[in-house]
Amino acid sequence: MQTTSLRLAALGVAITLMSSSPLRAVAPPSPPDLTQNNTVDRKLTYNLGATGLRGWIYTKAANFFESQQGRTTTASRQILVTHVGDKSPAEGVMRVNDVILGTGGQLFTDDARKSIALAIQEAEKTDNGGLLKLTRWRAGTTEEVQLKLRVMGTYSATAPYNCPKSKLIFDDACRVLAKEPLRENWCGAVNGLAMLATGNPDYLPRVRELARKLGPPTLKLELKDGMVVWDWGYRNVFLCEYYLLTGDKEVLHAINEYTISLAKGQSMYGTFGHGISMRTPDGQLHGSIPPYGPVNAAGLVGNLAIVMGKKCGVQDPEIDPAIERASKFFGYFVDKGAIPYGEHMPWANHDNNGKNAMAAMLFAVQGNRIRETRYFAKMLTASYRNREYGHTGQGFSYLWGALGANTGGPDATAAFFKEASWHFDLVRRCDGSFTYDGGEQYGPGKTDDNTYYGKSSYDGLSPAASYVLTYSLPLKKLCLTGKDANEACWLSKKDVAEAVASGRFDLDRKTKSTDELMAALGDWSPVASSWAAEELGQRSNSKELVPQLIAMAEGTDARKRQGAAEALGYINSAEALPVLVRLLTHQDRWLRVKAANALKNMGDTAKPVVPDMLKAVVVTAEPLQPVVWDDPIQLTHGELAAALFKGLLRISITGVDRQLLYPAMGAISRNADGMARMYLRSTFEKLLTLEDVQALAPDILAAVKTRCPADTMFGNEIRMGGLKALAKYHFKEGIEAGVIFAKTQGGHGSQKRTGEIMKEIVSYGSATREAVPGLRELIVFFNDQCNAGGFPKGPLNQTRLDSVEHAILAIEAAQDQPELRSIVPVQPKSRSNN
């Protein structure tokens, strides 16, 4: 697994792209002619189905969004053979450095990877006898050759249900799974789930042994720092499924411990990070997630584990409130998009590395969350092109994808399976095993790394386990695979057809008429609606549509209102400004977000309405009370903050009415979301005059001293900008605030950030001597933090320590100090104490 700093950097890039205007498609570079030059990175290869081959395939998406749609190899027309398996169908026919130019006597005219997958499916049909015809180039000679694959038959229309081919694949994968060790970690718990899902009684002794190791009767968990949520969540889901299937009471104590500990460790929003939440300032449970911040890929499974524990009979006052918090938070994304990485705007595709699938399961297992289950199941059904993208790789998409679609019933599963079956057959090998091809962002996998989060075939998330779970769906042995499912959550055939159509709309939109695109603004899928809006903005007659879109934006159909507002932003006509301003305070909260996003997309065209945007920030501000919020993070503010302070006012605030500017900046500085607050950093740091800082000082000071409750990953940005503003004009309160700020630096990048903080403190010269005792305490705190396992020992911590020690020396040697200013007290405002 990549280092956390690289993961954070990659995530930051992804979120920045997702929160800005979609990138216009550009023609990618031409792929190389592999018959002329085969100098490529041979660690980055793809499995080529049951042929026994791996190959290098040109990988390049035109933009970030195409990568999420699985179109990374679209431009490829050749495959360089990099590996030939012993005793495989390809042995004796193919060699390393051969180039596959086509199949069935035809050169590739489309994506070579998908084309060979479809050719393999065709060859494996009974009528074709397993014969796969390849056009092979070798050392200057091109000829037709053929491989003899095992005859597998054809997927039925209901696959994996009632499908002989699926059954053959399932049986082979089970034999592979049975040979894999059951490790005593969360990845081993996934293997255990897969073995349970098979319904094979021969596996039960091994599964029982694993369950009793993962769930000992003497288990006593502690709420402490660390990446415990991954482990607790997957372990408990496995133990609960095991108990519900076997009734083995020996694991009940552990289920009780995991369930209650997770419920107690949940944040105020119902989220988790890699670990549990912090305590609130008064020592209560359910504070914020500490930086790195919330990680929904872990948290959704942690929340599912709480629901599963309740199904096993666990009782505690913490459980029902935890389920309600999680259901409210993740349910908020219904009709808005995909579950994001953390506590911010939804992801603008039909899935995001399996998180919609996890959400579908979270709601389906509750049984009574029909609306939420149907939405996320429908999104999963439409996500067949989103399987190959994910932060750190797409392994969770493979694990959870089909399970999530299955919450929508067999028709939804069959539709998802049909559209994704080419990929299922591409990652299946001739020995019945599966490979994981994928890496950080959208890179293909490594030849020697066929697991997710592992370095060997038995050290990570097993591909065999993931696909056994997929092909076991017809057996319905587990809650995860459809046992006791509420059929009221199942999608109708109409729903399924709509989902499939929406899943391909990103390409289909190019052939749609203007009227069809206008109708699609009201699509059930917020993703397809956004694609329609973007396409309308690119049409030559787009300006003519503005009056119609304005009327639609203030109409009665909520989806069309939202889609029309988004389209107006892409069309970028000043004529739309009045309606977009009105919509910023509309009772439809998601319409507010769409209007703010539209103004952000319009750039300088929106300059005339800056005063109205500032007013809207203040009008829509609310106290930080997440328990009663309908909009848990006030997403409109984040979009307006980006539009104003990352966009229109990024260079200068000269001439902006301070009676509007100051209240708006104060409201954003108190927003729950660290990402919304983040957009003020540059303004605080570079653009504020002394008069501005004097007026805003109470809000700036509060922003430096108090962490944001949501999306803490981004919370340090406003704090650093605020500290620099206070230090620039020598407000004495900045000294204490800087020490408080430094004491919270235990996360990513803190070694560098601590040095920045010390530089600002030192700038106060001898006036900072009063802070030296606090800085010495900070050294002790950093060392204690390392000893407790909250921060890595070694060079990273030493960098933090060095920066503090150097600051103390500089302060003690200082002879002068600047003239200090003091913040004028004001009436306290409602803000988080977190």
Side-chain angles (χ1 to χ4, degrees), residues 695-716:
L696 288 165
D699 286 317
I700 294 174
L701 181 64
V704 177
K705 293 173 70 173
T706 59
R707 286 173 165 170
C708 57
D711 259 341
T712 53
M713 177 184 294
F714 307 98
N716 286 310

mmCIF file of all heavy atoms in Angstrom, residues 695-716:
data_model
loop_
_atom_site.group_PDB
_atom_site.id
_atom_site.type_symbol
_atom_site.label_atom_id
_atom_site.label_comp_id
_atom_site.label_asym_id
_atom_site.label_seq_id
_atom_site.Cartn_x
_atom_site.Cartn_y
_atom_site.Cartn_z
ATOM 1 N N ALA A 695 -11.063 43.951 12.062
ATOM 2 C CA ALA A 695 -12.509 43.699 12.032
ATOM 3 C C ALA A 695 -12.835 42.212 12.134
ATOM 4 O O ALA A 695 -13.819 41.815 12.759
ATOM 5 C CB ALA A 695 -13.098 44.275 10.746
ATOM 6 N N LEU A 696 -11.993 41.386 11.514
ATOM 7 C CA LEU A 696 -12.254 39.954 11.467
ATOM 8 C C LEU A 696 -11.520 39.169 12.546
ATOM 9 O O LEU A 696 -11.685 37.944 12.641
ATOM 10 C CB LEU A 696 -11.830 39.401 10.098
ATOM 11 C CG LEU A 696 -12.714 39.765 8.907
ATOM 12 C CD1 LEU A 696 -11.981 39.482 7.597
ATOM 13 C CD2 LEU A 696 -14.024 38.986 8.965
ATOM 14 N N ALA A 697 -10.728 39.859 13.361
ATOM 15 C CA ALA A 697 -9.825 39.172 14.284
ATOM 16 C C ALA A 697 -10.513 38.134 15.176
ATOM 17 O O ALA A 697 -9.977 37.035 15.366
ATOM 18 C CB ALA A 697 -9.067 40.198 15.129
ATOM 19 N N PRO A 698 -11.683 38.409 15.753
ATOM 20 C CA PRO A 698 -12.300 37.376 16.596
ATOM 21 C C PRO A 698 -12.597 36.084 15.817
ATOM 22 O O PRO A 698 -12.381 34.977 16.317
ATOM 23 C CB PRO A 698 -13.584 38.045 17.089
ATOM 24 C CG PRO A 698 -13.283 39.514 17.040
ATOM 25 C CD PRO A 698 -12.426 39.690 15.823
ATOM 26 N N ASP A 699 -13.088 36.252 14.594
ATOM 27 C CA ASP A 699 -13.364 35.070 13.779
ATOM 28 C C ASP A 699 -12.078 34.372 13.360
ATOM 29 O O ASP A 699 -11.995 33.139 13.345
ATOM 30 C CB ASP A 699 -14.166 35.459 12.536
ATOM 31 C CG ASP A 699 -15.622 35.777 12.840
ATOM 32 O OD1 ASP A 699 -16.224 35.020 13.638
ATOM 33 O OD2 ASP A 699 -16.144 36.744 12.299
ATOM 34 N N ILE A 700 -11.054 35.156 13.020
ATOM 35 C CA ILE A 700 -9.780 34.563 12.617
ATOM 36 C C ILE A 700 -9.173 33.803 13.791
ATOM 37 O O ILE A 700 -8.698 32.671 13.642
ATOM 38 C CB ILE A 700 -8.813 35.653 12.113
ATOM 39 C CG1 ILE A 700 -9.346 36.278 10.828
ATOM 40 C CG2 ILE A 700 -7.430 35.068 11.887
ATOM 41 C CD1 ILE A 700 -8.538 37.463 10.327
ATOM 42 N N LEU A 701 -9.189 34.420 14.969
ATOM 43 C CA LEU A 701 -8.618 33.776 16.145
ATOM 44 C C LEU A 701 -9.343 32.470 16.453
ATOM 45 O O LEU A 701 -8.701 31.446 16.744
ATOM 46 C CB LEU A 701 -8.692 34.718 17.345
ATOM 47 C CG LEU A 701 -8.096 34.185 18.653
ATOM 48 C CD1 LEU A 701 -6.596 33.949 18.502
ATOM 49 C CD2 LEU A 701 -8.390 35.140 19.807
ATOM 50 N N ALA A 702 -10.659 32.493 16.384
ATOM 51 C CA ALA A 702 -11.432 31.276 16.644
ATOM 52 C C ALA A 702 -11.113 30.197 15.620
ATOM 53 O O ALA A 702 -11.020 29.007 15.956
ATOM 54 C CB ALA A 702 -12.924 31.597 16.628
ATOM 55 N N ALA A 703 -10.928 30.604 14.363
ATOM 56 C CA ALA A 703 -10.615 29.636 13.314
ATOM 57 C C ALA A 703 -9.260 28.980 13.529
ATOM 58 O O ALA A 703 -9.059 27.816 13.200
ATOM 59 C CB ALA A 703 -10.664 30.315 11.944
ATOM 60 N N VAL A 704 -8.293 29.750 14.084
ATOM 61 C CA VAL A 704 -6.962 29.193 14.350
ATOM 62 C C VAL A 704 -7.003 28.249 15.545
ATOM 63 O O VAL A 704 -6.412 27.166 15.523
ATOM 64 C CB VAL A 704 -5.936 30.316 14.604
ATOM 65 C CG1 VAL A 704 -4.570 29.722 14.965
ATOM 66 C CG2 VAL A 704 -5.809 31.219 13.387
ATOM 67 N N LYS A 705 -7.715 28.617 16.572
ATOM 68 C CA LYS A 705 -7.679 27.866 17.829
ATOM 69 C C LYS A 705 -8.574 26.632 17.811
ATOM 70 O O LYS A 705 -8.327 25.676 18.555
ATOM 71 C CB LYS A 705 -8.086 28.785 18.989
ATOM 72 C CG LYS A 705 -7.087 29.906 19.259
ATOM 73 C CD LYS A 705 -7.599 30.889 20.297
ATOM 74 C CE LYS A 705 -7.657 30.285 21.689
ATOM 75 N NZ LYS A 705 -8.002 31.322 22.706
ATOM 76 N N THR A 706 -9.617 26.638 17.005
ATOM 77 C CA THR A 706 -10.578 25.528 17.047
ATOM 78 C C THR A 706 -10.566 24.764 15.733
ATOM 79 O O THR A 706 -10.585 25.351 14.657
ATOM 80 C CB THR A 706 -12.006 26.047 17.306
ATOM 81 O OG1 THR A 706 -12.378 26.955 16.263
ATOM 82 C CG2 THR A 706 -12.088 26.751 18.643
ATOM 83 N N ARG A 707 -10.552 23.465 15.848
ATOM 84 C CA ARG A 707 -10.614 22.615 14.668
ATOM 85 C C ARG A 707 -12.019 22.625 14.074
ATOM 86 O O ARG A 707 -13.013 22.752 14.791
ATOM 87 C CB ARG A 707 -10.285 21.169 15.046
ATOM 88 C CG ARG A 707 -8.828 20.886 15.339
ATOM 89 C CD ARG A 707 -8.684 19.480 15.872
ATOM 90 N NE ARG A 707 -7.315 19.018 15.851
ATOM 91 C CZ ARG A 707 -6.904 17.904 16.437
ATOM 92 N NH1 ARG A 707 -7.771 17.159 17.099
ATOM 93 N NH2 ARG A 707 -5.646 17.535 16.375
ATOM 94 N N CYS A 708 -12.081 22.459 12.784
ATOM 95 C CA CYS A 708 -13.377 22.265 12.142
ATOM 96 C C CYS A 708 -13.904 20.888 12.552
ATOM 97 O O CYS A 708 -13.137 19.936 12.694
ATOM 98 C CB CYS A 708 -13.241 22.338 10.622
ATOM 99 S SG CYS A 708 -12.062 21.149 9.941
ATOM 100 N N PRO A 709 -15.206 20.727 12.725
ATOM 101 C CA PRO A 709 -15.731 19.412 13.101
ATOM 102 C C PRO A 709 -15.798 18.425 11.941
ATOM 103 O O PRO A 709 -15.715 17.213 12.156
ATOM 104 C CB PRO A 709 -17.126 19.731 13.647
ATOM 105 C CG PRO A 709 -17.493 21.033 13.039
ATOM 106 C CD PRO A 709 -16.219 21.783 12.842
ATOM 107 N N ALA A 710 -15.963 18.912 10.726
ATOM 108 C CA ALA A 710 -16.118 18.016 9.573
ATOM 109 C C ALA A 710 -14.929 18.163 8.633
ATOM 110 O O ALA A 710 -14.309 19.218 8.541
ATOM 111 C CB ALA A 710 -17.413 18.327 8.819
ATOM 112 N N ASP A 711 -14.619 17.079 7.909
ATOM 113 C CA ASP A 711 -13.528 17.086 6.927
ATOM 114 C C ASP A 711 -12.261 17.686 7.513
ATOM 115 O O ASP A 711 -11.663 18.625 6.970
ATOM 116 C CB ASP A 711 -13.942 17.848 5.669
ATOM 117 C CG ASP A 711 -14.343 16.894 4.554
ATOM 118 O OD1 ASP A 711 -13.980 15.707 4.619
ATOM 119 O OD2 ASP A 711 -15.027 17.328 3.626
ATOM 120 N N THR A 712 -11.823 17.121 8.631
ATOM 121 C CA THR A 712 -10.653 17.645 9.333
ATOM 122 C C THR A 712 -9.379 17.521 8.510
ATOM 123 O O THR A 712 -8.378 18.164 8.833
ATOM 124 C CB THR A 712 -10.474 16.914 10.669
ATOM 125 O OG1 THR A 712 -10.445 15.494 10.431
ATOM 126 C CG2 THR A 712 -11.627 17.229 11.613
ATOM 127 N N MET A 713 -9.412 16.716 7.457
ATOM 128 C CA MET A 713 -8.255 16.605 6.567
ATOM 129 C C MET A 713 -7.812 17.973 6.047
ATOM 130 O O MET A 713 -6.623 18.219 5.831
ATOM 131 C CB MET A 713 -8.611 15.699 5.384
ATOM 132 C CG MET A 713 -7.527 15.562 4.343
ATOM 133 S SD MET A 713 -8.082 14.568 2.944
ATOM 134 C CE MET A 713 -8.297 12.973 3.689
ATOM 135 N N PHE A 714 -8.776 18.851 5.830
ATOM 136 C CA PHE A 714 -8.482 20.148 5.226
ATOM 137 C C PHE A 714 -8.477 21.285 6.248
ATOM 138 O O PHE A 714 -8.303 22.440 5.889
ATOM 139 C CB PHE A 714 -9.519 20.447 4.136
ATOM 140 C CG PHE A 714 -9.641 19.351 3.126
ATOM 141 C CD1 PHE A 714 -10.651 18.408 3.223
ATOM 142 C CD2 PHE A 714 -8.734 19.230 2.092
ATOM 143 C CE1 PHE A 714 -10.760 17.374 2.302
ATOM 144 C CE2 PHE A 714 -8.827 18.210 1.169
ATOM 145 C CZ PHE A 714 -9.839 17.276 1.278
ATOM 146 N N GLY A 715 -8.670 20.956 7.513
ATOM 147 C CA GLY A 715 -8.871 21.981 8.525
ATOM 148 C C GLY A 715 -7.665 22.833 8.826
ATOM 149 O O GLY A 715 -7.802 23.945 9.362
ATOM 150 N N ASN A 716 -6.460 22.343 8.530
ATOM 151 C CA ASN A 716 -5.263 23.126 8.846
ATOM 152 C C ASN A 716 -5.059 24.315 7.920
ATOM 153 O O ASN A 716 -4.286 25.226 8.247
ATOM 154 C CB ASN A 716 -4.025 22.231 8.797
ATOM 155 C CG ASN A 716 -3.936 21.311 10.002
ATOM 156 O OD1 ASN A 716 -4.049 21.757 11.134
ATOM 157 N ND2 ASN A 716 -3.754 20.021 9.750
#
